[in-house]
Structures are given as C-alpha cells and as structure tokens.
Amino acid sequence: MPRAVLVSPCLALLLLAGGGPLRAQEPTACADSVTRALGTLVGTWGVRTVFRQGEGWDTTAAESRVRRDFEGCLLREEMVGTRFGRPFHVLALWGAVGLQAPIQRSFVHSQHGLLSVFSGGVEGNALVLRDSVLLGGGTVRLEHRFEPWLADSMRYTSRRSTDGGATWTTTWYADYRRRSP
C-alpha cells in the first residue's frame, strides 16, 4: 500500500502551478549582490555634518567606517561625531539582494530611538531611499539621498515631509569624502 505524503498547502500550490519543483535561475549569493550594489562604500570616510534643530544649524566633523559584516551579506556603517556639542553615533546596516531588488538601509542614531528601514534605488546619479513613520497621529515621509552615488565624495541629505510630499524640510546633510578604501 502506498504511503501518504503530507505536503504544505503553499508547496502544493507551487507544485500544481509550475508542474514541478521551483528551480532558481542562476542563484546569486547575497555577498555578491551587496558587493555589486554597495561594495565601493567599504572604507573610511571623513564626514562634515550639518544638523538642523529648530531654526538653528550645527556643523561638526565626524568619521564614518563602512565594513562588510555577516559574511559580506550586509555592510555595517558606524559614524561617530558630535551634534550640538553632545556625542553622536549612527549605526546603519546596508543590504541588497539580487539584481532587481531595492537597496535597503536600516538607520538609527544615538539622539533618538527611532529605527527606520529605508528602501529604494538609484534615480539619475543619486541613491534615493524612502521610509514613512506615524508620529503624533500623522504620517511623516522620510527620504535619504546620496549624490553623486558611489563617488569618492558625495552628499547625504536627510529630509522629511508632513504633507504627503508636497513640501520637504531638510533636517541634516553630510559631505562624505573618502579617506581610505
């Protein structure tokens, strides 16, 4: 008597739809995807940061180090500097999977606990990453822009919109200059 084989409903649908098991087309290791999309970020960067607080601005120097982590499947960026006279630390994790997937960047800094996951891609000569959060009962759109993307000198701009993108307020920008690969 034949034995019954239990198959999950999802697997059953995939098998029925495709007539057989799914076969990957030239699988790409995550480390290869990250290297292709982000590899030239690896290194040490001198950063001139300009922060907004209310109507005031603060300009300071910082250093950003980007290194490979998790066997090259993501990049880890740590920036250390000051903001309005207080120590300031940024942690960002960068990832990219496959050729068509968006670039993602999780981001948090030491002066607020909001963890954001930005996603996007290259638009013209800039990498544009977006996220949105609910604050005070409303949606705030967030955007991080790096341009020119993957140059040895690039400007990072962080901005936000509280009116659906009709107007934007720049909250921070930073000029990255490569110190070492």
Side-chain angles (χ1 to χ4, degrees):
M1 176 185 268
R3 296 183 101 175
V5 177
L6 295 176
V7 177
S8 76
C10 291
L11 180 58
L13 285 173
L14 289 172
L15 290 171
L16 288 173
L22 292 178
R23 290 184 184 88
Q25 294 182 2
E26 297 296 318
T28 303
C30 62
D32 292 340
S33 296
V34 168
T35 296
R36 272 195 306 277
L38 304 166
T40 59
L41 284 179
V42 173
T44 303
W45 299 80
V47 184
R48 180 182 152 268
T49 62
V50 183
F51 299 100
R52 180 185 180 131
Q53 183 172 334
E55 295 302 314
W57 291 87
D58 180 43
T59 303
T60 64
E63 182 175 86
S64 179
R65 293 178 184 237
V66 180
R67 64 180 173 86
R68 296 179 198 288
D69 207 343
F70 288 92
E71 299 178 17
C73 287
L74 65 82
L75 299 184
R76 177 186 187 96
E77 176 183 3
E78 292 186 69
M79 182 189 299
V80 177
T82 60
R83 180 177 173 183
F84 291 96
R86 295 178 33 213
F88 184 72
H89 187 179
V90 169
L91 174 63
L93 301 176
W94 293 81
V97 177
L99 298 175
Q100 301 301 318
I103 292 172
Q104 292 182 308
R105 182 179 191 236
S106 65
F107 173 86
V108 67
H109 69 71
S110 60
Q111 292 187 8
H112 71 62
L114 179 64
L115 176 64
S116 298
V117 179
F118 291 79
S119 183
V122 176
E123 297 178 10
N125 74 337
L127 174 66
V128 181
L129 305 173
R130 296 182 178 95
D131 189 20
S132 62
V133 295
L134 290 174
L135 288 176
T139 300
V140 178
R141 289 187 181 185
L142 305 169
E143 181 180 274
H144 288 182
R145 176 180 293 269
F146 295 82
E147 63 187 321
W149 177 233
L150 295 181
D152 283 339
S153 175
M154 60 185 165
R155 173 160 284 185
Y156 158 78
T157 304
S158 177
R159 63 187 198 152
R160 61 194 232 157
S161 173
T162 56
D163 60 9
T167 60
W168 292 87
T169 300
T170 298
T171 56
W172 173 16
Y173 64 91
D175 294 319
Y176 280 68
R177 298 208 189 292
R178 183 179 304 282
R179 287 189 180 157
S180 66

